[in-house]
Amino acid sequence: MAAFVKSFSCYRSFSPISKRCITPSTTTIAAKHRCTFTQNDENYDIIITGGGMVGTTLACAIANNRRLECRRILLLEGGKKVEYKPQEQYSNRVVALNQQTRTLLSSIGAWQHIEAIRYCPVRKMQVWDACSDAMIEFNEDHLSEEIAYIVENNLLLHAVNKQVAEKENVTIVYDSKVDNIKLPEVQGGDAKIQLQNGKRYKTKLLVGADGANSLVRQSMGVQYVKWDYSQLGIVATLMLSEPTENIVAWQRFLPTGPIALLPLTDSLSSLVWSLPTNEAKRLLKVSEEEFVDSVNNALWKLYPKDGIVESGLRALQQLLKGLSLRTGVARQLQPSISAIAEGSRAAFPLQFGHSVSYVGTGTVLVGDAAHRVHPLAGQGVNLGFGDVTVLVQLLAEGAINGASLGDMMYLRKYETLRQRYNVPTMLAIDALHRLYKGTAAPIVLARSLGLQLTNAIPLVKKALIQHASGQEVSR
């Protein structure tokens, strides 16, 4: 995996910017890989703004690619460097990584660091509607297979940071607040960045991985479609009433928004609960006992069933039975909650956002800078990692064919491939959110029939799982 040999003596002097060991043998090693590195801090082949999970993974993936390992990369992170310290208590911010993301992290050597500390596999999903008896299960017949992996955000960032630190052609500048960006007017020109401290850089390819309020995207002047869901996503670490084989991701659609439990250990789960802003703020302030009661109520409360909906579901069951299709599932009861980890309650605003264009002259967007979705499907960060996979593939393809880093043909191809995947996924997630907000009988009936029909057709379920796992992420 590593692009450079580690077993050589090291005279320890450190660059004030990269904090990286500079050795007399670096030139020899670079020559072996036909790479030439200069000490010009002003010019870089690629500059990535945003040192979060997606931006740091991109820097590492580019440096790890044998077609791109000679490129000098600058990673600008606006925050201060944070040292990761494993703690017994889990972080309240976790992500559900799909198979494609795990493959990416394994390819750059980061997954081994996650495995060495902790993660939890998800082998089954159960989704059900609070307003009817409709439900769907995923992977119930293949419990040995892993459909997702629950990893804490700070652990994932630690893993990719540990790998990128080994890349001699990556320089990281922390506490680097970008003050001004000037994009090239013609292909082949330089993008220029100035930091608030006056430091200036230029590059042939500028990558915006700087989040939903991306300054790179604003500098591109592209249209950004967005709306607010008027909801907050409450997160917390919850203790289960009794230990269990915790391999199931649970999600219940409530009239106020979905609530989800993601497995951490046999006795802990992570909560992601979407609620109207005012109600979410109230629950952040109530006592721990009242909060736990509210979570259990959200998971277990019985809502009145509409006769029209019940009749429609019974008719569908008879039809499915006549077609020899699955007519139901052996429902597994969701766990109850006994307590909340101290200090783990927090919330974040839920929004939709999508950049009409992902690329510009010498510029490209990845992750939240390009798109932002509701967390109900757990796809947000996976879409960003999908961007990384495709972008690195196309930059490497361009290098093989002698194209410049900012060649618009390859950048446009990246945009096309990613929007073909991202846009339908995002619109489907948004439609689900809106569909499950409705409580009128016709709406409840329509979504319940759709859920039961999907559950009855194995090929449809398999296609959904494959899409969610990112298997369509590349060409």
Side-chain angles (χ1 to χ4, degrees), residues 104-169:
L104 170 64
L105 295 174
S106 296
S107 72
I108 62 174
W111 188 254
Q112 62 181 333
H113 304 305
I114 295 172
E115 282 186 314
I117 299 177
R118 62 191 182 194
Y119 73 97
C120 187
V122 176
R123 295 191 171 91
K124 180 180 176 181
M125 292 180 63
Q126 185 168 292
V127 181
W128 72 106
D129 191 336
C131 297
S132 76
D133 293 326
M135 65 172 295
I136 187 171
E137 284 186 322
F138 292 101
N139 217 41
E140 67 274 19
D141 299 325
H142 307 278
L143 293 181
S144 61
E145 299 177 5
E146 297 167 340
I147 58 177
Y149 308 88
I150 308 303
V151 181
E152 297 156 280
N153 290 25
N154 57 356
L155 172 55
L156 196 160
L157 186 57
H158 160 73
V160 292
N161 273 331
K162 197 164 184 177
Q163 284 303 107
V164 82
E166 299 179 3
K167 307 301 179 183
E168 294 289 335
N169 57 329

Side-chain angles (χ1 to χ4, degrees), residues 30 38 77 91-92 106 126 152 180 207-209 211 221 247 249 260 265 269 296-297 319 337 348 357 366 397 435 465:
T38 68
E77 167 52 35
S91 168
N92 60 4
S106 296
Q126 185 168 292
E152 297 156 280
N180 187 49
V207 182
I247 59 171
T265 70
S269 285
N296 281 322
N297 185 60
L319 176 62
I337 308 305
F348 56 95
S357 178
V366 296
E397 183 179 308
L435 181 63
I465 284 289

Side-chain angles (χ1 to χ4, degrees), residues 14 28 51 65 163 166 192 194 263 300 310 333 429 449 470:
F14 290 86
T28 304
N65 188 288
Q163 284 303 107
E166 299 179 3
K192 299 178 181 178
Q194 179 173 317
W300 288 94
E310 295 296 288
L333 293 179
I429 292 171
L449 292 176

